[in-house]
Amino acid sequence: MVVLGIESSCDETAAAVLEDGRVRSNVIAGQEVHRTWGGVVPELASRAHQEHIVPVVDAALKQARLDPRDLTAIAFTRGPGLIGALHVGAAFARSMAQALDLPLIAVDHVRAHALAHFIRDERGLPAPAFPFINLTASGGHTQLVLVRSALDMEVIGATLDDAAGEAFDKGAKILGLPYPGGPLIDRCARDGDPHRYAAPVPTVRGLDMSFSGIKTWFRDLVMKGEAGEPGFTVRERAHLCASLQQAINDVLIGRLKKAAQARGIASLGISGGVSANSALRERLLDLCERNGWRAHIPPVEYCTDNAAMIAMAGHVLFEAGVRAGPDAAPYARARP
Ligand code: KG4
Ligand code: ZN
């Protein structure tokens, strides 16, 4: 089974070809146009997707050494995301499926993150058995999902305010680092002491999460430090990055542990852009080792936004008999 996946929900135009769940190609075109603006500008994203989509899909097919006629199905991201950006991928996928008379599969981006574990890749840890608990954490969403099957996912906890990735990005901005700041914080934190500055522990009940208090604490810490001794931010940068990363990961790891205990589930996964964080990956391995649980962590390129996970989700949905009609319109906001 050969599935082409197309992803265009935010600022990456991506296409991937999977054969029986194995990656034959995984192409991503980023968008430099947003760099000067400190965030993604929706209209610029739509235009860049329009420029990139044909060459990106073409490259994915060429790298896979396949002809469009070899495809079994085409999967695309239907939502959530930037509506104009989603329309570019959806219209392209729909037209291509129609022209080639191929089945079309509409994929939910957030659910696809949780299915990234099933991409067959020797470098990753073994795929989880159902049920497992997944932390899907990225720039737009942070949720704990009880995954009973590819079609049966229940959100058992979610952030009440910022997403974890947003907390990393906002923290980086406070330090004057460019967007997206998550990977920079990760790198810089390696030289710092994670216990130098302690954040207040968010008081949220159940399995929900909150990151806005951490952001406020961090902004105050930096402003007061700089006012007290100019140059503080630069001098203390590594410690500040490590402390911020520790505060965010404390929330994420704490919630994973609580969810596993509350639900009696011994398989824990992380995915989404924030799961590329090296400290978070280590802490999940450590948590699972100490409790006799199984950890599931995809290779980094399937954690951040990519089309391989869209093709993977398309693969399992196709097997389950799910098809999209020609009228499957994109949606901007998360579906329950
Ligand atoms: O999944 P993703 O690529 O896109 C969305 O669907 O949002 O996630 C992007 C987010 C950004 O907030 C970025 O800063 C964060 O993931 N991120 C990281 C790391 N790599 C990406 N955060 C912390 N550490 C990283 N290594
Ligand atoms: Zn994502």
Side-chain angles (χ1 to χ4, degrees):
M1 184 150 110
V2 183
V3 181
L4 168 69
I6 295 172
E7 155 64 32
S8 70
S9 66
C10 192
D11 60 342
E12 261 119 19
T13 318
V17 178
L18 261 64
E19 183 174 9
D20 298 328
R22 255 176 221 290
V23 177
R24 288 195 57 148
S25 64
N26 187 26
V27 178
I28 301 184
Q31 304 184 349
E32 285 300 313
V33 285
H34 307 292
R35 203 162 270 281
T36 44
W37 303 99
V40 178
V41 185
E43 181 52 29
L44 295 180
S46 310
R47 293 179 199 195
H49 282 302
Q50 279 180 323
E51 268 174 46
H52 294 158
I53 191 117
V54 173
V56 164
V57 171
D58 198 41
L61 286 166
K62 283 212 173 90
Q63 282 179 26
R65 292 199 198 84
L66 288 172
D67 187 84
R69 282 179 296 264
D70 298 323
L71 296 172
T72 313
I74 298 175
F76 70 98
T77 305
R78 188 175 175 194
L82 303 172
I83 198 69
L86 288 163
H87 269 293
V88 176
F92 184 89
R94 208 158 44 219
S95 316
M96 190 170 170
Q98 223 159 43
L100 295 164
D101 198 20
L102 286 170
L104 183 67
I105 300 144
V107 170
D108 182 275
H109 178 96
V110 188
R111 285 170 164 249
H113 270 303
L115 296 172
H117 298 291
F118 296 95
I119 296 169
R120 288 170 60 189
D121 192 307
E122 287 69 30
R123 291 164 306 156
L125 298 166
F130 297 116
F132 66 96
I133 290 170
N134 195 65
L135 167 75
T136 309
S138 69
H141 16 261
T142 295
Q143 52 183 226
L144 277 166
V145 191
L146 174 54
V147 188
R148 295 192 189 89
S149 76
L151 295 180
D152 184 357
M153 297 190 198
E154 184 192 343
V155 177
I156 56 174
T159 179
L160 301 176
D161 38 59
D162 292 344
E166 240 178 313
F168 273 106
D169 296 339
K170 286 179 178 173
K173 199 171 176 181
I174 291 167
L175 294 176
L177 300 172
Y179 173 89
L184 301 172
I185 300 250
D186 187 348
R187 216 170 308 140
C188 196
R190 283 172 204 166
D191 303 321
D193 172 8
H195 303 290
R196 176 79 134 234
Y197 303 104
V201 180
T203 48
V204 180
R205 286 208 270 176
L207 293 172
D208 287 336
M209 295 160 263
S210 167
F211 297 98
S212 65
I214 293 175
K215 178 192 62 191
T216 308
W217 158 77
F218 195 68
R219 198 188 44 221
D220 289 353
L221 174 67
V222 171
M223 276 171 55
K224 283 190 189 129
E226 195 62 42
E229 41 165 321
F232 166 85
T233 314
V234 173
R235 215 167 29 250
E236 285 293 290
R237 183 182 281 168
H239 298 312
L240 289 167
C241 287
S243 301
L244 175 69
Q245 176 173 275
Q246 180 77 9
I248 296 168
N249 288 350
D250 277 348
V251 174
L252 299 174
I253 289 293
R255 281 311 191 239
L256 274 163
K257 185 178 178 189
K258 192 172 178 186
Q261 287 167 339
R263 299 292 177 135
I265 288 177
S267 282
L268 298 180
I270 53 173
S271 59
V274 174
S275 70
N277 185 264
S278 56
L280 183 67
R281 295 164 84 88
E282 270 169 37
R283 287 184 67 177
L284 180 68
L285 289 174
D286 184 54
L287 174 75
C288 288
E289 199 177 297
R290 273 188 283 114
N291 289 279
W293 298 338
R294 286 173 298 280
H296 302 283
I297 309 175
V300 168
E301 64 265 40
Y302 311 140
C303 289
T304 47
D305 279 351
N306 67 89
M309 68 180 194
I310 304 301
M312 190 66 238
H315 178 115
V316 293
L317 292 174
F318 181 86
E319 281 185 328
V322 178
R323 304 285 184 275
D327 55 346
Y331 50 85
R333 297 199 152 268
R335 294 238 153 144

